[in-house]
Amino acid sequence: MKINENYRNLKESYLFSTISRKVSEYQKEHPDAKLIRLGIGDVTIPLCGAAVEAMKAACDEMGRKDSFHGYGPEQGYDFLRESVQGYYRQKGVSLGLDEIFISDGAKSDLGNILDLFGADNRVLIPDPVYPVYVDTNIMAGREIIYLDANMENGFLPLPDPGVPADIIYLCSPNNPTGAVYNREQLRAWVDYATAQNAVILFDAAYEAFISDPSLPESIMEIEGADRCAIEFCSFSKTAGFTGTRCGYTIVPKNLVFDGMKLNSMWLRRQTTKFNGVPYIVQRGAAAVFTPEGLKQCKEAVDYYRENARIMCEAFQEVGIEYIGGKNSPYVWIRCPNGMGSWEYFDYLLHELNVVGTPGEGFGKNGEGYLRLTAFGDRDNTIEAMNRIRNSMKK
Ligand code: MLT
């Protein structure tokens, strides 16, 4: 047996596993330390009441012979796909039901979608970036071309027509920087992808955090995106599903490459390798789109937004340069006093007992930066900011 040699090219462990290990080791050595975790973007507000009630009812259905569900459709139940369809309709985007695929979250599908593409495609990935895009392509042995995102371009790099690419990753609102592309910028990406005959893999997991109505929440709002883009979205950050697992992927039927429809290929892939998301979870996810569910989720998102505002205010006050935090749950700060990412990460962990994510973990352009999430609870967020304020005064 020969192993997949590409795994030798990966970093030893996934970024968030490395951080989790470092934090556990520290906590073990300092059991009394009151750690505030603003590292991984994990939510702290429990599932919204509407989703909980729907899941309880679905549990009861599963326990009765007349309403039990066995294998479901791999691409999701129509009741949830119709809800997603309605959600997009409100954004002015019209989707066919068969263009919506229910998943167990954006991360899985962002990795799995690569099954559809040949090994010799050139992959364009902004740096810094959510490490899943890079690691999954390294696993598949693809050539990666990095696109510099930095303070100069507001961490929103635009396409260079002189650089050819076949697969393009975009994430807006961005993980890790919190920067958000405007309509004209996304238009430029759609035009570039169309000219290159490339596909854009658009990660919209943080769309619910956009409060500026002029900013696009979906790449599908841009004319022509249905011929060059696939969109990935998730209930994780919007509805607290990080532990419950549900998301959706939009694969337009107009996506045709070499005479093959990506939509049909994805259906073929999913029906072969995936058995669908549990009925109970899909019932919970559908409840997120009811008026009650939408209201409850908005309250949670507003709570995190207020955390982000509190964080931005603190950084402003102590003169730490930052971006994000406005239409995004992430605040991306420049490490003070010229510290490196891991150096500041260690300082925060050891001296202030605050956990962040070192920018370098998201790519070379993240060196000298650190990401903090607004998903903590309010008191902890305020306390973490006070600790940082005091440390800056020293
Ligand atoms: C993050 O912290 O970047 C995210 O929580 C990771 C994820 O969504 O998988």
Side-chain angles (χ1 to χ4, degrees), residues 14 16 39-42 107 130 175 206 237 330 362 371 373:
Y14 181 58
F16 293 106
I40 190 163
D42 198 2
K107 177 178 173 179
Y130 180 38
N175 180 10
Y206 302 95
K237 319 292 158 119
Y330 293 126
F362 298 100
R371 192 195 76 175
T373 92

Side-chain angles (χ1 to χ4, degrees), residues 76-133:
Y77 285 98
D78 277 358
F79 64 79
L80 179 52
R81 297 163 96 199
E82 279 158 15
S83 301
V84 174
Q85 189 182 44
Y87 186 60
Y88 273 76
R89 202 178 300 120
Q90 285 165 18
K91 300 178 199 275
V93 176
S94 156
L95 296 176
L97 269 198
D98 50 0
E99 295 179 306
I100 301 164
F101 294 81
I102 305 304
S103 70
D104 66 355
K107 177 178 173 179
S108 322
D109 273 14
L110 278 157
N112 294 335
I113 199 81
L114 296 179
D115 273 13
L116 309 194
F117 311 128
D120 54 355
N121 283 301
R122 294 155 300 187
V123 186
L124 189 64
I125 305 187
D127 173 337
V129 78
Y130 180 38
V132 169
Y133 315 156

